[in-house]
Amino acid sequence: AQSVAQPEDQVNVAEGNPLTVKCTYSVSGNPYLFWYVQYPNRGLQFLLKYITGDNLVKGSYGFEAEFNKSQTSFHLKKPSALVSDSALYFCAVRAYSGNTPLVFGKGTRLSVIA
Amino acid sequence: KAGVTQTPRYLIKTRGQQVTLSCSPISGHRSVSWYQQTPGQGLQFLFEYFSETQRNKGNFPGRFSGRQFSNSRSEMNVSTLELGDSALYLCASSVTYRTLNTEAFFGQGTRLTVV
């Protein structure tokens, strides 16, 4: 069965500093990987996805993520954090083949401090 | 283009009652998935529908059920509500079930409180 681990419940970073939100996954075969963000009292918003090709994926709001197959990781990064980036971030995976749903991690709360 | 619409936004029910939540996907989207979000468990997959057929089901008891109509709108039902069913229920739509690499678009959710 596929699964996603987000090892940090909370990440704190100062405004202007780089940020990283970690994600590791487990899936049979090749994965489709996604990052979503959730602001208070809102649904999830799509940030970026990895399907195939370049391991560095660029997404919305200046975020990017690096796919590392050997480490089964898909960490979310941003060179310079903004206070407005403070939110709940979810990593998700779907198997490349087979009848499988999109499975999410438990989420990481990012707090950017001014 | 309208987004995913979930109704109602908030709901308070008593233990033992049943509840029905509704989701209207983005126009042209035929795949609808449901998730339960709680602070401790994150997002847990409930079920996925495409063309009125359930394609996947998560590990929830039989009290949780769903269906999809010919216009792609979906409903989920929870019978005999328990306090632990209090959660944010999120619906997501995507273009087609068969294209697994397409992103899902989420509604704002229905906040269910069981008292």
Side-chain angles (χ1 to χ4, degrees), chain A residues 32 36 38 41-44 46 49 51 90 94-95 99-102 104, chain B residues 9 35 37 40 42-43 45 48 55-56 90 97 100-101 103-104 106-108:
Chain A
Y32 293 132
Y36 285 82
Q38 185 179 38
N41 300 315
R42 302 289 296 274
L44 273 67
F46 168 75
K49 65 181 177 183
I51 303 302
F90 289 94
R94 191 162 195 166
N99 182 22
T100 60
L102 184 63
F104 285 82
Chain B
R9 288 290 313 279
Y35 292 84
Q37 183 180 9
L43 267 76
F45 171 74
E48 180 176 36
R55 300 292 175 170
N56 279 296
L90 292 165
Y97 166 79
L100 301 180
N101 62 358
E103 58 268 31
F106 282 80
Q108 290 189 283

PDB file of all heavy atoms in Angstrom, chain A residues 32 36 38 41-44 46 49 51 90 94-95 99-102 104, chain B residues 9 35 37 40 42-43 45 48 55-56 90 97 100-101 103-104 106-108:
ATOM      1  N   TYR A  32       3.457   9.397  -8.800  1.00  0.00           N
ATOM      2  CA  TYR A  32       3.070  10.769  -9.086  1.00  0.00           C
ATOM      3  C   TYR A  32       3.041  11.473  -7.727  1.00  0.00           C
ATOM      4  O   TYR A  32       2.409  10.977  -6.794  1.00  0.00           O
ATOM      5  CB  TYR A  32       1.676  10.851  -9.722  1.00  0.00           C
ATOM      6  CG  TYR A  32       1.593  10.261 -11.103  1.00  0.00           C
ATOM      7  CD1 TYR A  32       0.569   9.376 -11.430  1.00  0.00           C
ATOM      8  CD2 TYR A  32       2.504  10.598 -12.090  1.00  0.00           C
ATOM      9  CE1 TYR A  32       0.458   8.849 -12.704  1.00  0.00           C
ATOM     10  CE2 TYR A  32       2.409  10.065 -13.367  1.00  0.00           C
ATOM     11  CZ  TYR A  32       1.388   9.190 -13.668  1.00  0.00           C
ATOM     12  OH  TYR A  32       1.283   8.658 -14.926  1.00  0.00           O
ATOM     13  N   TYR A  36       0.273  20.256  -1.746  1.00  0.00           N
ATOM     14  CA  TYR A  36      -0.887  21.125  -1.594  1.00  0.00           C
ATOM     15  C   TYR A  36      -0.685  22.006  -0.369  1.00  0.00           C
ATOM     16  O   TYR A  36       0.024  21.630   0.573  1.00  0.00           O
ATOM     17  CB  TYR A  36      -2.164  20.303  -1.389  1.00  0.00           C
ATOM     18  CG  TYR A  36      -2.689  19.640  -2.639  1.00  0.00           C
ATOM     19  CD1 TYR A  36      -2.168  18.433  -3.082  1.00  0.00           C
ATOM     20  CD2 TYR A  36      -3.721  20.226  -3.373  1.00  0.00           C
ATOM     21  CE1 TYR A  36      -2.662  17.825  -4.226  1.00  0.00           C
ATOM     22  CE2 TYR A  36      -4.224  19.625  -4.517  1.00  0.00           C
ATOM     23  CZ  TYR A  36      -3.687  18.428  -4.932  1.00  0.00           C
ATOM     24  OH  TYR A  36      -4.174  17.831  -6.064  1.00  0.00           O
ATOM     25  N   GLN A  38      -2.893  24.484   2.545  1.00  0.00           N
ATOM     26  CA  GLN A  38      -4.205  24.783   3.102  1.00  0.00           C
ATOM     27  C   GLN A  38      -4.110  25.986   4.031  1.00  0.00           C
ATOM     28  O   GLN A  38      -3.375  25.943   5.023  1.00  0.00           O
ATOM     29  CB  GLN A  38      -4.771  23.583   3.856  1.00  0.00           C
ATOM     30  CG  GLN A  38      -6.193  23.787   4.354  1.00  0.00           C
ATOM     31  CD  GLN A  38      -6.725  22.576   5.079  1.00  0.00           C
ATOM     32  OE1 GLN A  38      -5.996  21.911   5.814  1.00  0.00           O
ATOM     33  NE2 GLN A  38      -7.998  22.259   4.889  1.00  0.00           N
ATOM     34  N   ASN A  41      -9.493  27.686   7.319  1.00  0.00           N
ATOM     35  CA  ASN A  41     -10.890  27.650   6.857  1.00  0.00           C
ATOM     36  C   ASN A  41     -11.014  27.578   5.330  1.00  0.00           C
ATOM     37  O   ASN A  41     -12.006  28.048   4.768  1.00  0.00           O
ATOM     38  CB  ASN A  41     -11.658  28.875   7.369  1.00  0.00           C
ATOM     39  CG  ASN A  41     -11.671  28.935   8.873  1.00  0.00           C
ATOM     40  OD1 ASN A  41     -11.913  27.929   9.537  1.00  0.00           O
ATOM     41  ND2 ASN A  41     -11.380  30.099   9.421  1.00  0.00           N
ATOM     42  N   ARG A  42     -10.030  26.993   4.705  1.00  0.00           N
ATOM     43  CA  ARG A  42     -10.078  26.833   3.247  1.00  0.00           C
ATOM     44  C   ARG A  42      -9.802  25.386   2.889  1.00  0.00           C
ATOM     45  O   ARG A  42      -9.272  24.598   3.667  1.00  0.00           O
ATOM     46  CB  ARG A  42      -9.011  27.724   2.596  1.00  0.00           C
ATOM     47  CG  ARG A  42      -9.126  29.190   2.911  1.00  0.00           C
ATOM     48  CD  ARG A  42     -10.325  29.813   2.216  1.00  0.00           C
ATOM     49  NE  ARG A  42     -10.194  29.769   0.780  1.00  0.00           N
ATOM     50  CZ  ARG A  42      -9.554  30.684   0.079  1.00  0.00           C
ATOM     51  NH1 ARG A  42      -8.963  31.695   0.659  1.00  0.00           N
ATOM     52  NH2 ARG A  42      -9.519  30.578  -1.243  1.00  0.00           N
ATOM     53  N   GLY A  43     -10.156  25.036   1.661  1.00  0.00           N
ATOM     54  CA  GLY A  43      -9.784  23.725   1.146  1.00  0.00           C
ATOM     55  C   GLY A  43      -8.319  23.719   0.750  1.00  0.00           C
ATOM     56  O   GLY A  43      -7.591  24.681   0.972  1.00  0.00           O
ATOM     57  N   LEU A  44      -7.887  22.628   0.160  1.00  0.00           N
ATOM     58  CA  LEU A  44      -6.492  22.504  -0.260  1.00  0.00           C
ATOM     59  C   LEU A  44      -6.289  23.141  -1.632  1.00  0.00           C
ATOM     60  O   LEU A  44      -7.131  23.009  -2.518  1.00  0.00           O
ATOM     61  CB  LEU A  44      -6.093  21.032  -0.328  1.00  0.00           C
ATOM     62  CG  LEU A  44      -5.585  20.399   0.950  1.00  0.00           C
ATOM     63  CD1 LEU A  44      -6.688  20.305   1.980  1.00  0.00           C
ATOM     64  CD2 LEU A  44      -4.999  19.012   0.669  1.00  0.00           C
ATOM     65  N   PHE A  46      -3.608  23.377  -4.891  1.00  0.00           N
ATOM     66  CA  PHE A  46      -2.503  22.700  -5.564  1.00  0.00           C
ATOM     67  C   PHE A  46      -1.315  23.641  -5.696  1.00  0.00           C
ATOM     68  O   PHE A  46      -1.460  24.804  -6.081  1.00  0.00           O
ATOM     69  CB  PHE A  46      -2.981  22.232  -6.937  1.00  0.00           C
ATOM     70  CG  PHE A  46      -1.896  21.763  -7.853  1.00  0.00           C
ATOM     71  CD1 PHE A  46      -1.290  20.529  -7.655  1.00  0.00           C
ATOM     72  CD2 PHE A  46      -1.474  22.556  -8.901  1.00  0.00           C
ATOM     73  CE1 PHE A  46      -0.298  20.089  -8.507  1.00  0.00           C
ATOM     74  CE2 PHE A  46      -0.483  22.122  -9.758  1.00  0.00           C
ATOM     75  CZ  PHE A  46       0.109  20.890  -9.560  1.00  0.00           C
ATOM     76  N   LYS A  49       3.506  19.523  -8.887  1.00  0.00           N
ATOM     77  CA  LYS A  49       3.482  18.068  -9.014  1.00  0.00           C
ATOM     78  C   LYS A  49       4.713  17.575  -9.757  1.00  0.00           C
ATOM     79  O   LYS A  49       5.299  18.296 -10.581  1.00  0.00           O
ATOM     80  CB  LYS A  49       2.214  17.605  -9.746  1.00  0.00           C
ATOM     81  CG  LYS A  49       2.132  18.065 -11.198  1.00  0.00           C
ATOM     82  CD  LYS A  49       0.826  17.588 -11.842  1.00  0.00           C
ATOM     83  CE  LYS A  49       0.713  18.104 -13.280  1.00  0.00           C
ATOM     84  NZ  LYS A  49      -0.596  17.701 -13.907  1.00  0.00           N
ATOM     85  N   ILE A  51       5.693  14.454 -12.241  1.00  0.00           N
ATOM     86  CA  ILE A  51       5.162  13.342 -13.036  1.00  0.00           C
ATOM     87  C   ILE A  51       6.318  12.516 -13.596  1.00  0.00           C
ATOM     88  O   ILE A  51       6.417  11.320 -13.365  1.00  0.00           O
ATOM     89  CB  ILE A  51       4.268  13.861 -14.176  1.00  0.00           C
ATOM     90  CG1 ILE A  51       3.135  14.724 -13.601  1.00  0.00           C
ATOM     91  CG2 ILE A  51       3.706  12.710 -14.986  1.00  0.00           C
ATOM     92  CD1 ILE A  51       2.269  14.005 -12.590  1.00  0.00           C
ATOM     93  N   PHE A  90       0.610  19.841   2.651  1.00  0.00           N
ATOM     94  CA  PHE A  90       0.396  18.409   2.512  1.00  0.00           C
ATOM     95  C   PHE A  90       1.124  17.866   1.291  1.00  0.00           C
ATOM     96  O   PHE A  90       1.024  18.429   0.199  1.00  0.00           O
ATOM     97  CB  PHE A  90      -1.094  18.086   2.354  1.00  0.00           C
ATOM     98  CG  PHE A  90      -1.905  18.290   3.589  1.00  0.00           C
ATOM     99  CD1 PHE A  90      -2.557  19.492   3.808  1.00  0.00           C
ATOM    100  CD2 PHE A  90      -2.023  17.284   4.531  1.00  0.00           C
ATOM    101  CE1 PHE A  90      -3.323  19.693   4.950  1.00  0.00           C
ATOM    102  CE2 PHE A  90      -2.780  17.464   5.673  1.00  0.00           C
ATOM    103  CZ  PHE A  90      -3.428  18.680   5.885  1.00  0.00           C
ATOM    104  N   ARG A  94       0.504   9.184  -5.627  1.00  0.00           N
ATOM    105  CA  ARG A  94      -0.385   8.257  -6.319  1.00  0.00           C
ATOM    106  C   ARG A  94       0.502   7.351  -7.152  1.00  0.00           C
ATOM    107  O   ARG A  94       1.451   7.811  -7.784  1.00  0.00           O
ATOM    108  CB  ARG A  94      -1.375   9.005  -7.195  1.00  0.00           C
ATOM    109  CG  ARG A  94      -2.496   8.145  -7.732  1.00  0.00           C
ATOM    110  CD  ARG A  94      -3.654   8.984  -8.200  1.00  0.00           C
ATOM    111  NE  ARG A  94      -4.852   8.185  -8.380  1.00  0.00           N
ATOM    112  CZ  ARG A  94      -6.067   8.687  -8.524  1.00  0.00           C
ATOM    113  NH1 ARG A  94      -6.246   9.992  -8.489  1.00  0.00           N
ATOM    114  NH2 ARG A  94      -7.113   7.907  -8.693  1.00  0.00           N
ATOM    115  N   ALA A  95       0.208   6.067  -7.152  1.00  0.00           N
ATOM    116  CA  ALA A  95       1.016   5.125  -7.912  1.00  0.00           C
ATOM    117  C   ALA A  95       0.830   5.359  -9.401  1.00  0.00           C
ATOM    118  O   ALA A  95      -0.268   5.708  -9.863  1.00  0.00           O
ATOM    119  CB  ALA A  95       0.648   3.695  -7.547  1.00  0.00           C
ATOM    120  N   ASN A  99      -4.982   0.678  -9.676  1.00  0.00           N
ATOM    121  CA  ASN A  99      -6.203   1.339  -9.238  1.00  0.00           C
ATOM    122  C   ASN A  99      -6.004   1.868  -7.828  1.00  0.00           C
ATOM    123  O   ASN A  99      -6.435   1.271  -6.855  1.00  0.00           O
ATOM    124  CB  ASN A  99      -7.354   0.323  -9.283  1.00  0.00           C
ATOM    125  CG  ASN A  99      -8.671   0.928  -8.904  1.00  0.00           C
ATOM    126  OD1 ASN A  99      -8.851   2.136  -8.994  1.00  0.00           O
ATOM    127  ND2 ASN A  99      -9.581   0.088  -8.464  1.00  0.00           N
ATOM    128  N   THR A 100      -5.307   2.987  -7.703  1.00  0.00           N
ATOM    129  CA  THR A 100      -4.976   3.498  -6.375  1.00  0.00           C
ATOM    130  C   THR A 100      -5.416   4.949  -6.225  1.00  0.00           C
ATOM    131  O   THR A 100      -5.375   5.712  -7.181  1.00  0.00           O
ATOM    132  CB  THR A 100      -3.470   3.414  -6.114  1.00  0.00           C
ATOM    133  OG1 THR A 100      -2.776   4.191  -7.090  1.00  0.00           O
ATOM    134  CG2 THR A 100      -2.981   1.980  -6.174  1.00  0.00           C
ATOM    135  N   PRO A 101      -5.814   5.328  -5.023  1.00  0.00           N
ATOM    136  CA  PRO A 101      -6.241   6.704  -4.805  1.00  0.00           C
ATOM    137  C   PRO A 101      -5.052   7.626  -4.525  1.00  0.00           C
ATOM    138  O   PRO A 101      -3.920   7.170  -4.386  1.00  0.00           O
ATOM    139  CB  PRO A 101      -7.117   6.585  -3.569  1.00  0.00           C
ATOM    140  CG  PRO A 101      -6.499   5.464  -2.800  1.00  0.00           C
ATOM    141  CD  PRO A 101      -5.993   4.491  -3.837  1.00  0.00           C
ATOM    142  N   LEU A 102      -5.321   8.892  -4.432  1.00  0.00           N
ATOM    143  CA  LEU A 102      -4.331   9.886  -4.025  1.00  0.00           C
ATOM    144  C   LEU A 102      -4.254   9.864  -2.501  1.00  0.00           C
ATOM    145  O   LEU A 102      -5.251  10.084  -1.823  1.00  0.00           O
ATOM    146  CB  LEU A 102      -4.757  11.264  -4.530  1.00  0.00           C
ATOM    147  CG  LEU A 102      -3.802  12.431  -4.293  1.00  0.00           C
ATOM    148  CD1 LEU A 102      -2.488  12.205  -5.030  1.00  0.00           C
ATOM    149  CD2 LEU A 102      -4.447  13.731  -4.743  1.00  0.00           C
ATOM    150  N   PHE A 104      -2.500  11.138   1.108  1.00  0.00           N
ATOM    151  CA  PHE A 104      -1.860  12.316   1.687  1.00  0.00           C
ATOM    152  C   PHE A 104      -1.097  11.983   2.951  1.00  0.00           C
ATOM    153  O   PHE A 104      -1.410  11.024   3.670  1.00  0.00           O
ATOM    154  CB  PHE A 104      -2.920  13.365   2.032  1.00  0.00           C
ATOM    155  CG  PHE A 104      -3.476  14.088   0.846  1.00  0.00           C
ATOM    156  CD1 PHE A 104      -4.476  13.513   0.084  1.00  0.00           C
ATOM    157  CD2 PHE A 104      -2.999  15.333   0.494  1.00  0.00           C
ATOM    158  CE1 PHE A 104      -4.998  14.173  -1.022  1.00  0.00           C
ATOM    159  CE2 PHE A 104      -3.508  16.008  -0.610  1.00  0.00           C
ATOM    160  CZ  PHE A 104      -4.513  15.415  -1.356  1.00  0.00           C
TER     161      PHE A 104
ATOM    162  N   ARG B   9     -21.705  24.192   4.447  1.00  0.00           N
ATOM    163  CA  ARG B   9     -20.352  24.483   4.931  1.00  0.00           C
ATOM    164  C   ARG B   9     -20.166  24.042   6.376  1.00  0.00           C
ATOM    165  O   ARG B   9     -19.097  23.606   6.766  1.00  0.00           O
ATOM    166  CB  ARG B   9     -20.063  25.983   4.825  1.00  0.00           C
ATOM    167  CG  ARG B   9     -19.873  26.499   3.408  1.00  0.00           C
ATOM    168  CD  ARG B   9     -18.549  25.996   2.784  1.00  0.00           C
ATOM    169  NE  ARG B   9     -17.395  26.143   3.652  1.00  0.00           N
ATOM    170  CZ  ARG B   9     -16.714  27.263   3.822  1.00  0.00           C
ATOM    171  NH1 ARG B   9     -17.091  28.359   3.202  1.00  0.00           N
ATOM    172  NH2 ARG B   9     -15.668  27.289   4.614  1.00  0.00           N
ATOM    173  N   TYR B  35     -12.478  13.039   1.335  1.00  0.00           N
ATOM    174  CA  TYR B  35     -11.477  12.871   2.372  1.00  0.00           C
ATOM    175  C   TYR B  35     -12.025  13.391   3.696  1.00  0.00           C
ATOM    176  O   TYR B  35     -12.806  14.345   3.731  1.00  0.00           O
ATOM    177  CB  TYR B  35     -10.196  13.651   2.040  1.00  0.00           C
ATOM    178  CG  TYR B  35      -9.434  13.121   0.850  1.00  0.00           C
ATOM    179  CD1 TYR B  35      -9.790  13.502  -0.451  1.00  0.00           C
ATOM    180  CD2 TYR B  35      -8.373  12.240   1.008  1.00  0.00           C
ATOM    181  CE1 TYR B  35      -9.091  13.007  -1.548  1.00  0.00           C
ATOM    182  CE2 TYR B  35      -7.669  11.752  -0.079  1.00  0.00           C
ATOM    183  CZ  TYR B  35      -8.046  12.143  -1.346  1.00  0.00           C
ATOM    184  OH  TYR B  35      -7.360  11.656  -2.425  1.00  0.00           O
ATOM    185  N   GLN B  37     -10.700  15.081   7.172  1.00  0.00           N
ATOM    186  CA  GLN B  37      -9.541  15.739   7.762  1.00  0.00           C
ATOM    187  C   GLN B  37      -9.769  15.981   9.240  1.00  0.00           C
ATOM    188  O   GLN B  37     -10.738  16.628   9.653  1.00  0.00           O
ATOM    189  CB  GLN B  37      -9.249  17.080   7.070  1.00  0.00           C
ATOM    190  CG  GLN B  37      -8.004  17.756   7.609  1.00  0.00           C
ATOM    191  CD  GLN B  37      -7.686  19.071   6.940  1.00  0.00           C
ATOM    192  OE1 GLN B  37      -8.466  19.606   6.154  1.00  0.00           O
ATOM    193  NE2 GLN B  37      -6.510  19.615   7.217  1.00  0.00           N
ATOM    194  N   GLY B  40      -5.425  15.129  14.191  1.00  0.00           N
ATOM    195  CA  GLY B  40      -4.457  14.094  14.505  1.00  0.00           C
ATOM    196  C   GLY B  40      -4.108  13.171  13.346  1.00  0.00           C
ATOM    197  O   GLY B  40      -3.003  12.644  13.277  1.00  0.00           O
ATOM    198  N   GLY B  42      -4.651  13.921   9.862  1.00  0.00           N
ATOM    199  CA  GLY B  42      -4.437  14.520   8.548  1.00  0.00           C
ATOM    200  C   GLY B  42      -5.606  14.208   7.630  1.00  0.00           C
ATOM    201  O   GLY B  42      -6.752  14.138   8.071  1.00  0.00           O
ATOM    202  N   LEU B  43      -5.326  14.005   6.344  1.00  0.00           N
ATOM    203  CA  LEU B  43      -6.363  13.678   5.373  1.00  0.00           C
ATOM    204  C   LEU B  43      -6.434  12.184   5.172  1.00  0.00           C
ATOM    205  O   LEU B  43      -5.450  11.563   4.777  1.00  0.00           O
ATOM    206  CB  LEU B  43      -6.078  14.340   4.017  1.00  0.00           C
ATOM    207  CG  LEU B  43      -6.697  15.694   3.756  1.00  0.00           C
ATOM    208  CD1 LEU B  43      -5.927  16.746   4.510  1.00  0.00           C
ATOM    209  CD2 LEU B  43      -6.709  16.000   2.287  1.00  0.00           C
ATOM    210  N   PHE B  45      -8.388   9.123   3.163  1.00  0.00           N
ATOM    211  CA  PHE B  45      -9.194   8.866   1.972  1.00  0.00           C
ATOM    212  C   PHE B  45     -10.442   8.066   2.315  1.00  0.00           C
ATOM    213  O   PHE B  45     -10.367   7.034   3.003  1.00  0.00           O
ATOM    214  CB  PHE B  45      -8.339   8.114   0.954  1.00  0.00           C
ATOM    215  CG  PHE B  45      -9.089   7.607  -0.234  1.00  0.00           C
ATOM    216  CD1 PHE B  45      -9.512   8.478  -1.223  1.00  0.00           C
ATOM    217  CD2 PHE B  45      -9.364   6.260  -0.370  1.00  0.00           C
ATOM    218  CE1 PHE B  45     -10.202   8.013  -2.326  1.00  0.00           C
ATOM    219  CE2 PHE B  45     -10.050   5.782  -1.460  1.00  0.00           C
ATOM    220  CZ  PHE B  45     -10.475   6.653  -2.441  1.00  0.00           C
ATOM    221  N   GLU B  48     -13.637   7.200  -3.881  1.00  0.00           N
ATOM    222  CA  GLU B  48     -13.427   7.871  -5.158  1.00  0.00           C
ATOM    223  C   GLU B  48     -14.451   7.347  -6.151  1.00  0.00           C
ATOM    224  O   GLU B  48     -14.668   6.132  -6.243  1.00  0.00           O
ATOM    225  CB  GLU B  48     -12.019   7.610  -5.664  1.00  0.00           C
ATOM    226  CG  GLU B  48     -11.697   8.261  -7.003  1.00  0.00           C
ATOM    227  CD  GLU B  48     -10.239   8.046  -7.390  1.00  0.00           C
ATOM    228  OE1 GLU B  48      -9.682   6.974  -7.100  1.00  0.00           O
ATOM    229  OE2 GLU B  48      -9.642   8.974  -7.988  1.00  0.00           O
ATOM    230  N   ARG B  55     -14.632   3.676  -7.489  1.00  0.00           N
ATOM    231  CA  ARG B  55     -13.384   3.099  -8.005  1.00  0.00           C
ATOM    232  C   ARG B  55     -12.439   2.694  -6.894  1.00  0.00           C
ATOM    233  O   ARG B  55     -11.619   1.792  -7.054  1.00  0.00           O
ATOM    234  CB  ARG B  55     -12.695   4.124  -8.909  1.00  0.00           C
ATOM    235  CG  ARG B  55     -13.530   4.546 -10.083  1.00  0.00           C
ATOM    236  CD  ARG B  55     -13.741   3.437 -11.082  1.00  0.00           C
ATOM    237  NE  ARG B  55     -14.636   3.805 -12.164  1.00  0.00           N
ATOM    238  CZ  ARG B  55     -14.830   3.071 -13.247  1.00  0.00           C
ATOM    239  NH1 ARG B  55     -14.198   1.930 -13.394  1.00  0.00           N
ATOM    240  NH2 ARG B  55     -15.670   3.490 -14.178  1.00  0.00           N
ATOM    241  N   ASN B  56     -12.495   3.403  -5.789  1.00  0.00           N
ATOM    242  CA  ASN B  56     -11.630   3.099  -4.657  1.00  0.00           C
ATOM    243  C   ASN B  56     -12.379   3.375  -3.371  1.00  0.00           C
ATOM    244  O   ASN B  56     -13.268   4.247  -3.337  1.00  0.00           O
ATOM    245  CB  ASN B  56     -10.361   3.958  -4.676  1.00  0.00           C
ATOM    246  CG  ASN B  56      -9.310   3.426  -5.623  1.00  0.00           C
ATOM    247  OD1 ASN B  56      -8.788   2.337  -5.437  1.00  0.00           O
ATOM    248  ND2 ASN B  56      -9.002   4.195  -6.645  1.00  0.00           N
ATOM    249  N   LEU B  90     -13.702  16.898   3.033  1.00  0.00           N
ATOM    250  CA  LEU B  90     -13.283  17.570   1.814  1.00  0.00           C
ATOM    251  C   LEU B  90     -13.617  16.738   0.591  1.00  0.00           C
ATOM    252  O   LEU B  90     -13.430  15.516   0.589  1.00  0.00           O
ATOM    253  CB  LEU B  90     -11.777  17.838   1.849  1.00  0.00           C
ATOM    254  CG  LEU B  90     -11.307  18.862   2.865  1.00  0.00           C
ATOM    255  CD1 LEU B  90      -9.803  18.782   3.055  1.00  0.00           C
ATOM    256  CD2 LEU B  90     -11.700  20.263   2.440  1.00  0.00           C
ATOM    257  N   TYR B  97     -10.721   9.951 -14.056  1.00  0.00           N
ATOM    258  CA  TYR B  97     -10.104   8.936 -13.207  1.00  0.00           C
ATOM    259  C   TYR B  97      -8.905   8.310 -13.895  1.00  0.00           C
ATOM    260  O   TYR B  97      -7.923   7.953 -13.269  1.00  0.00           O
ATOM    261  CB  TYR B  97     -11.170   7.888 -12.882  1.00  0.00           C
ATOM    262  CG  TYR B  97     -10.630   6.621 -12.294  1.00  0.00           C
ATOM    263  CD1 TYR B  97     -10.275   6.552 -10.966  1.00  0.00           C
ATOM    264  CD2 TYR B  97     -10.472   5.495 -13.083  1.00  0.00           C
ATOM    265  CE1 TYR B  97      -9.784   5.396 -10.414  1.00  0.00           C
ATOM    266  CE2 TYR B  97      -9.981   4.328 -12.540  1.00  0.00           C
ATOM    267  CZ  TYR B  97      -9.647   4.279 -11.211  1.00  0.00           C
ATOM    268  OH  TYR B  97      -9.150   3.125 -10.685  1.00  0.00           O
ATOM    269  N   LEU B 100      -4.061   9.635 -14.112  1.00  0.00           N
ATOM    270  CA  LEU B 100      -3.691   9.676 -12.705  1.00  0.00           C
ATOM    271  C   LEU B 100      -2.744  10.816 -12.360  1.00  0.00           C
ATOM    272  O   LEU B 100      -2.544  11.112 -11.193  1.00  0.00           O
ATOM    273  CB  LEU B 100      -3.062   8.343 -12.307  1.00  0.00           C
ATOM    274  CG  LEU B 100      -3.947   7.110 -12.509  1.00  0.00           C
ATOM    275  CD1 LEU B 100      -3.213   5.864 -12.069  1.00  0.00           C
ATOM    276  CD2 LEU B 100      -5.249   7.248 -11.754  1.00  0.00           C
ATOM    277  N   ASN B 101      -2.140  11.448 -13.379  1.00  0.00           N
ATOM    278  CA  ASN B 101      -1.184  12.495 -13.073  1.00  0.00           C
ATOM    279  C   ASN B 101      -1.813  13.884 -13.007  1.00  0.00           C
ATOM    280  O   ASN B 101      -1.115  14.864 -12.822  1.00  0.00           O
ATOM    281  CB  ASN B 101      -0.047  12.501 -14.099  1.00  0.00           C
ATOM    282  CG  ASN B 101      -0.552  12.785 -15.506  1.00  0.00           C
ATOM    283  OD1 ASN B 101      -1.748  12.947 -15.740  1.00  0.00           O
ATOM    284  ND2 ASN B 101       0.361  12.854 -16.449  1.00  0.00           N
ATOM    285  N   GLU B 103      -3.869  16.921 -11.323  1.00  0.00           N
ATOM    286  CA  GLU B 103      -4.086  17.335  -9.943  1.00  0.00           C
ATOM    287  C   GLU B 103      -5.570  17.381  -9.628  1.00  0.00           C
ATOM    288  O   GLU B 103      -6.409  17.557 -10.503  1.00  0.00           O
ATOM    289  CB  GLU B 103      -3.455  18.711  -9.674  1.00  0.00           C
ATOM    290  CG  GLU B 103      -3.960  19.820 -10.566  1.00  0.00           C
ATOM    291  CD  GLU B 103      -3.102  19.967 -11.809  1.00  0.00           C
ATOM    292  OE1 GLU B 103      -2.533  18.953 -12.282  1.00  0.00           O
ATOM    293  OE2 GLU B 103      -3.010  21.095 -12.324  1.00  0.00           O
ATOM    294  N   ALA B 104      -5.870  17.220  -8.363  1.00  0.00           N
ATOM    295  CA  ALA B 104      -7.241  17.316  -7.881  1.00  0.00           C
ATOM    296  C   ALA B 104      -7.494  18.725  -7.369  1.00  0.00           C
ATOM    297  O   ALA B 104      -6.596  19.388  -6.857  1.00  0.00           O
ATOM    298  CB  ALA B 104      -7.470  16.296  -6.764  1.00  0.00           C
ATOM    299  N   PHE B 106      -9.867  20.990  -4.818  1.00  0.00           N
ATOM    300  CA  PHE B 106     -10.639  20.763  -3.605  1.00  0.00           C
ATOM    301  C   PHE B 106     -11.677  21.848  -3.359  1.00  0.00           C
ATOM    302  O   PHE B 106     -11.453  23.019  -3.683  1.00  0.00           O
ATOM    303  CB  PHE B 106      -9.703  20.706  -2.392  1.00  0.00           C
ATOM    304  CG  PHE B 106      -8.978  19.412  -2.250  1.00  0.00           C
ATOM    305  CD1 PHE B 106      -7.845  19.145  -3.007  1.00  0.00           C
ATOM    306  CD2 PHE B 106      -9.430  18.450  -1.366  1.00  0.00           C
ATOM    307  CE1 PHE B 106      -7.181  17.946  -2.885  1.00  0.00           C
ATOM    308  CE2 PHE B 106      -8.761  17.243  -1.234  1.00  0.00           C
ATOM    309  CZ  PHE B 106      -7.637  16.991  -1.994  1.00  0.00           C
ATOM    310  N   GLY B 107     -12.782  21.421  -2.755  1.00  0.00           N
ATOM    311  CA  GLY B 107     -13.746  22.361  -2.234  1.00  0.00           C
ATOM    312  C   GLY B 107     -13.305  22.878  -0.873  1.00  0.00           C
ATOM    313  O   GLY B 107     -12.265  22.463  -0.347  1.00  0.00           O
ATOM    314  N   GLN B 108     -14.093  23.795  -0.303  1.00  0.00           N
ATOM    315  CA  GLN B 108     -13.735  24.377   0.995  1.00  0.00           C
ATOM    316  C   GLN B 108     -14.096  23.465   2.158  1.00  0.00           C
ATOM    317  O   GLN B 108     -13.678  23.715   3.277  1.00  0.00           O
ATOM    318  CB  GLN B 108     -14.402  25.734   1.158  1.00  0.00           C
ATOM    319  CG  GLN B 108     -13.802  26.795   0.225  1.00  0.00           C
ATOM    320  CD  GLN B 108     -14.306  28.176   0.551  1.00  0.00           C
ATOM    321  OE1 GLN B 108     -15.429  28.533   0.218  1.00  0.00           O
ATOM    322  NE2 GLN B 108     -13.484  28.966   1.216  1.00  0.00           N
TER     323      GLN B 108
END
